[in-house]
Amino acid sequence: MSCAWCALWCSPRSRQPHGLGWLTSPAELAATWPRSPESVPWGGLDTAGCQSWPPPVDLRPLDILSEVIPPRGSGPSGGLRMIQTQGARGFQLSAVYSPRLLSFPASRIFLYCDLFPEEFSIIVTLKVLNLPPKKNEYVFTAVEEAGDRLLVGLRYSPTKLHFLFLSQELSGSWQTRVTFQDILLTDNQWHTLVLAVSEGSFSLTVDCSVPTDVIVDTPFPMSLTMKGSRFFIGSRRRKKGTFTGLLRQLVLLPGSDAASRMCPSRNAQLAVLSIPSVLQDLPGRPEDEWLHYPYEADMKVTLGPRPQCSRMEDARFWYDVSRRGLYLCVGNEWISMIEAKVKLDYVEEYQSLSTPSETLGIEIFTIPHVGLLAAAANRQASSTIYKWVDGKFVSYQILATHQAQAWKYFTIGKKVFLAVANLEPKDKGQQELSVIYKWSPRKLKFVTYQRIVTYSARDWEAFEIAGESFLAVANHRQGDNHNIDSVIYKWNPRSGLFEANQTLATSGAYDWEFFTIGPYSFLVVANTFNGTSTKVFSHTYVWLLGSFQLFQSFLTFGAADWEVFHIGERLFLAVANSHSYDSETRVQNNSYAINSVIYELNVTAQMFVKFQDIPTYSALDWEFFSVGEDYFLVVANSFDGESFSVNSIIYRWQGYEGFVAVHHLPTFGCRDWEAFNTSTGSYLMYSSAKEPLSRVLRLKMS
Ligand SMILES: [Ca+2]
Ligand SMILES: [Ca+2]
Ligand SMILES: [Ca+2]
């Protein structure tokens, strides 16, 4: 790849000055990003979250096939059936009749430069059966979402391979077809094709043999925009011409002829540039990811008593008739191929817990050898700690608090702590103090340990970085001033106390959340209000060289909570937007019915990008939980502008559809959700900021 080419590709239309460091698979992304704290590539950020970029690295293969593979653990197979044959695995596209399932928006890979590269290779490994004469099947296409014009595509017939693309000239636009003759793919053997394109030159290498070149009058366009288009794997968004073979590799390599990288190859028919990790060779140990796919193989299935399973017999099946179980021999072990999956059916009320006053936050935690406890942050002069006894929460300890907002449980070594955020002082006119309690193993109670000056504290977050313990407080306001510092405290092992370590400017801070990505540590703050408007930026910070530095900013509306969660290898951040209000523009109409937003980490771009908007009613909390192989989010909807009687909603993760509402739960002034498990089941608990009643719900599963 030449720099001139790179510049040509990505300027001046694109928003970013450089090409992207294309990475191949989530696994590789996770392995390669971020590189190391010393070479951290993040430049300065402006408040809108735009980054300046490091110089471009080599353009990497872009694994198109991996884009349609559901993340590990997301449940459904996403219309892909994995089949192993002739010693290699591939996907049969079982969902080609609902082509959208095997598609994704081009913007997912054309992040900053929406032009298709001008020079590139397309690498395909496939195995196709006989086709009737004249029948064509598509390997992939990129199609305009609105206009349905095909922008780029690859299809084959019994004897030909056609590369299609949209040419636009002054006289209009039409589809150009470049045809390679006498290409015999339909012999039910694996074949690897490398199509290298550079201006008017189209070169096809099959199984690393001598390339076939075609020179045409219509060169590949210099500025084919992918804006508003969608990639379809194995189809042209229609039923006609859908792919019936097996697909093992489908990669776009911007900038160079991949044949020089892949050939010669000891196994030319299966030469690899990049294939999804689930299709890679059987490992010595089973990787649970590929077991999630319906699996077929041209291998032996044994009936009868349990046969021997040794390394020699890798990939041999045993069907246990008595238990109706199908097992696969992998690395000396029989692995069950069929497992009973637990599914959430419905939610039932389990315990109604009257509290001394309204409850703002709940913290549920387990102290070893003591049991499961729930700390309720109660509005009035005391808060209650409950203990789970015989399947119910019962009052265990009462602590004096002052408009308690939230509790945070954490440990340092064997020491167990619980910190409370007190919104108000003990007596009017006094300084507010939030309190850290320590568990006394002798008294079996929490005892006061350290008092810390806070300003209308809303939340505590506890975390560890490189073996050191920290606490961050969300200082909401000082008098009428919301633009104040929140403080990060560090544990001093010598004094045994937390000491102020760093301050960060916040605007009506409401929530802190800590998370890590690889070796990096992050904090995200929910800012609610700057004195005139709730439309303020909430920021994420990254720990670099001993302090937190601004990483990315999100425009939020009275942000009350951040929830960080993983689905497979994907990382998400959900913000609860509570209120849209601006004293100057007086935007008050229906200002509680607003969207809350889920962001996803884009590892290639090294930033969070919007994943989904979810309409909420003064959302105050998100809680993520899983049941069996399903993932859920529940939102605390608190107020619709007129009433506190609003449904809170459970959303289920449905892969490419995102989160979909599945259960509506009537709540009143709902403030906080917590999910927890005991040996007897899975539960949700929520608190109300408007009535002295919290509820425990039981998740009924089948
Ligand atoms: Ca928090
Ligand atoms: Ca939360
Ligand atoms: Ca919560």
Side-chain angles (χ1 to χ4, degrees):
M1 179 203 75
S2 72
C3 271
W5 175 85
C6 177
L8 188 63
W9 180 28
C10 276
S11 70
R13 294 174 189 80
S14 65
R15 284 167 286 158
Q16 291 291 330
H18 302 301
L20 292 175
W22 296 115
L23 297 164
T24 55
S25 66
E28 186 186 335
L29 300 179
T32 56
W33 184 79
R35 282 166 276 277
S36 72
E38 291 71 41
S39 70
V40 71
W42 300 307
L45 313 187
D46 64 32
T47 48
C50 293
Q51 296 173 293
S52 61
W53 280 83
V57 292
D58 276 350
L59 295 179
R60 310 268 186 102
L62 177 56
D63 191 333
I64 296 174
L65 185 53
S66 283
E67 290 292 327
V68 293
I69 297 178
R72 177 166 50 176
S74 69
S77 63
L80 296 170
R81 169 174 287 267
M82 187 155 70
I83 292 183
Q84 175 153 333
T85 174
Q86 293 167 353
R89 294 181 189 154
F91 284 121
Q92 190 179 55
L93 313 182
S94 50
V96 281
Y97 293 114
S98 47
R100 226 178 145 78
L101 199 53
L102 293 170
S103 77
F104 60 93
S107 58
R108 206 195 290 168
I109 53 179
F110 290 87
L111 277 169
Y112 296 107
C113 180
D114 49 33
L115 299 181
F116 203 88
E118 188 196 337
E119 292 180 17
F120 58 91
S121 299
I122 291 167
I123 301 95
V124 184
T125 299
L126 42 50
K127 182 174 182 283
V128 287
L129 290 161
N130 266 332
L131 281 187
K134 293 194 178 165
K135 195 173 175 227
N136 273 266
E137 291 189 353
Y138 285 90
V139 177
F140 83 98
T141 56
V143 180
E144 279 181 344
E145 290 253 50
D148 196 47
R149 281 192 307 188
L150 185 145
L151 301 178
V152 181
L154 193 65
R155 64 178 158 88
Y156 62 90
S157 70
T159 58
K160 291 173 193 159
L161 184 79
H162 307 284
F163 178 59
L164 317 159
F165 58 90
L166 188 78
S167 323
Q168 273 178 303
E169 292 194 358
L170 289 176
S171 51
S173 62
W174 62 87
Q175 188 178 299
T176 298
R177 186 170 80 191
V178 176
T179 299
F180 296 89
Q181 306 277 353
D182 302 321
I183 306 294
L184 300 169
L185 296 175
T186 54
D187 57 357
N188 205 19
Q189 301 288 316
W190 288 111
H191 292 292
T192 295
L193 319 176
V194 177
L195 172 67
V197 176
S198 173
E199 291 180 59
S201 160
F202 299 79
S203 169
L204 179 70
T205 306
V206 180
D207 301 334
C208 286
S209 65
V210 183
T212 308
D213 289 333
V214 174
I215 309 289
V216 295
D217 295 338
T218 314
F220 192 80
M222 286 174 68
S223 55
L224 179 61
T225 176
M226 302 303 284
K227 215 177 211 167
S229 69
R230 207 169 172 88
F231 276 89
F232 291 84
I233 310 300
S235 81
R236 196 232 173 285
R237 192 160 72 182
R238 298 172 185 154
K239 286 183 188 174
K240 198 172 167 227
T242 52
F243 182 78
T244 56
L246 297 182
L247 195 55
R248 174 173 167 81
Q249 177 168 231
L250 179 56
V251 179
L252 171 66
L253 178 70
S256 56
D257 182 348
S260 60
R261 284 204 199 184
M262 298 166 64
C263 303
S265 164
R266 246 189 286 166
N267 195 355
Q269 287 178 293
L270 290 164
V272 170
L273 184 66
S274 171
I275 60 170
S277 56
V278 294
L279 299 181
Q280 283 162 14
D281 289 342
L282 285 167
R285 298 261 336 133
E287 276 181 52
D288 47 353
E289 56 185 336
W290 58 263
L291 295 176
H292 290 148
Y293 295 89
Y295 192 84
E296 282 178 14
D298 49 358
M299 290 180 291
K300 209 163 88 184
V301 178
T302 309
L303 298 170
R306 177 188 290 247
Q308 200 188 359
C309 166
S310 69
R311 213 162 276 277
M312 300 290 292
E313 283 148 311
D314 249 7
R316 169 183 178 182
F317 286 106
W318 165 49
Y319 186 71
D320 182 345
V321 181
S322 62
R323 286 156 67 190
R324 292 196 184 168
L326 181 65
Y327 299 85
L328 174 65
C329 172
V330 181
N332 301 330
E333 256 182 88
W334 286 108
I335 304 298
S336 174
M337 302 292 294
I338 304 166
E339 278 175 77
K341 285 178 188 162
V342 188
K343 283 226 163 351
L344 175 62
D345 275 351
Y346 60 96
V347 182
E348 65 174 14
E349 183 162 333
Y350 182 78
Q351 183 184 6
S352 171
L353 193 65
S354 291
T355 48
S357 56
E358 301 87 335
T359 304
L360 286 103
I362 311 166
E363 176 84 342
I364 298 182
F365 53 94
T366 299
I367 299 181
H369 313 298
V370 177
L372 182 80
L373 299 166
N378 295 127
R379 188 184 290 284
Q380 283 169 16
S382 67
S383 286
T384 312
I385 316 262
Y386 297 89
K387 186 169 183 226
W388 187 258
V389 180
D390 298 331
K392 296 272 153 102
F393 278 122
V394 294
S395 177
Y396 183 79
Q397 184 179 2
I398 293 171
L399 292 163
T401 53
H402 309 286
Q403 286 253 31
Q405 301 292 299
W407 286 100
K408 184 67 197 178
Y409 167 83
F410 61 97
T411 58
I412 299 175
K414 286 195 176 133
K415 299 184 191 72
V416 169
F417 296 94
L418 193 58
V420 70
N422 280 324
L423 190 78
E424 294 202 335
K426 190 173 173 203
D427 296 303
K428 268 226 150 60
Q430 280 186 347
Q431 172 59 52
E432 310 103 277
L433 296 167
S434 288
V435 184
I436 302 168
Y437 298 87
K438 184 172 174 290
W439 176 256
S440 162
R442 194 169 51 84
K443 294 183 186 160
L444 294 177
K445 300 261 172 191
F446 283 101
V447 293
T448 302
Y449 186 78
Q450 184 179 357
R451 290 186 171 85
I452 293 183
V453 171
T454 52
Y455 298 93
S456 299
R458 289 285 189 180
D459 187 43
W460 282 107
E461 177 69 323
F463 51 95
E464 247 180 59
I465 299 174
E468 300 195 288
S469 297
F470 295 84
L471 269 182
V473 70
N475 282 329
H476 185 68
R477 68 180 150 79
Q478 196 173 351
D480 285 339
N481 183 14
H482 287 77
N483 301 308
I484 57 168
D485 284 341
S486 286
V487 186
I488 295 157
Y489 300 88
K490 188 165 133 181
W491 173 255
N492 180 337
R494 250 173 279 150
S495 63
L497 294 172
F498 281 96
E499 297 168 356
N501 189 60
Q502 185 182 359
T503 56
L504 290 166
T506 51
S507 297
Y510 222 82
D511 182 37
W512 279 112
E513 287 295 308
F514 175 81
F515 59 99
T516 58
I517 303 171
Y520 289 91
S521 297
F522 294 82
L523 266 181
V524 58
V525 69
N527 283 327
T528 50
F529 187 56
N530 64 8
T532 53
S533 174
T534 61
K535 185 179 170 183
V536 288
F537 284 102
S538 290
H539 308 287
T540 47
Y541 301 88
V542 61
W543 178 264
L544 288 177
L545 306 170
S547 67
F548 283 99
Q549 293 172 28
L550 185 61
F551 176 70
Q552 187 178 350
S553 305
F554 304 89
L555 192 59
T556 53
F557 298 84
D561 179 67
W562 282 102
E563 184 82 359
V564 182
F565 56 95
H566 290 265
I567 294 179
E569 285 166 343
R570 299 167 72 174
L571 176 71
F572 297 87
L573 279 183
V575 68
N577 282 326
S578 69
H579 192 186
S580 175
Y581 167 83
D582 194 309
S583 65
E584 273 147 32
T585 56
R586 295 183 193 283
V587 183
Q588 289 194 54
N589 276 352
N590 215 10
S591 53
Y592 296 91
I594 50 176
N595 282 337
S596 289
V597 185
I598 302 169
Y599 299 90
E600 180 179 2
L601 176 69
N602 184 310
V603 181
T604 313
Q606 301 183 358
M607 65 191 293
F608 289 91
V609 293
K610 187 190 273 196
F611 174 76
Q612 189 178 356
D613 276 320
I614 295 191
T616 50
Y617 297 93
S618 196
L620 295 178
D621 186 39
W622 283 108
E623 176 82 359
F624 178 76
F625 61 99
S626 60
V627 172
E629 293 186 353
D630 291 327
Y631 299 100
F632 298 90
L633 271 177
V634 58
V635 69
N637 282 326
S638 66
F639 186 57
D640 64 7
E642 285 175 0
S643 167
F644 298 109
S645 246
V646 265
N647 285 336
S648 287
I649 295 175
I650 297 178
Y651 299 86
R652 184 173 60 217
W653 168 254
Q654 300 200 170
Y656 70 102
E657 286 176 272
F659 284 91
V660 176
V662 286
H663 296 281
H664 292 68
L665 308 166
T667 49
F668 186 76
C670 189
R671 177 65 184 81
D672 194 17
W673 281 98
E674 288 285 289
F676 64 99
N677 296 306
T678 72
S679 56
T680 57
S682 296
Y683 303 84
L684 291 175
M685 183 173 186
Y686 76 85
S687 72
S688 167
K690 294 293 163 192
E691 60 178 355
L693 191 68
S694 292
R695 283 197 165 89
V696 179
L697 309 175
R698 186 176 177 145
L699 304 177
K700 296 298 282 184
M701 295 180 267
S702 62

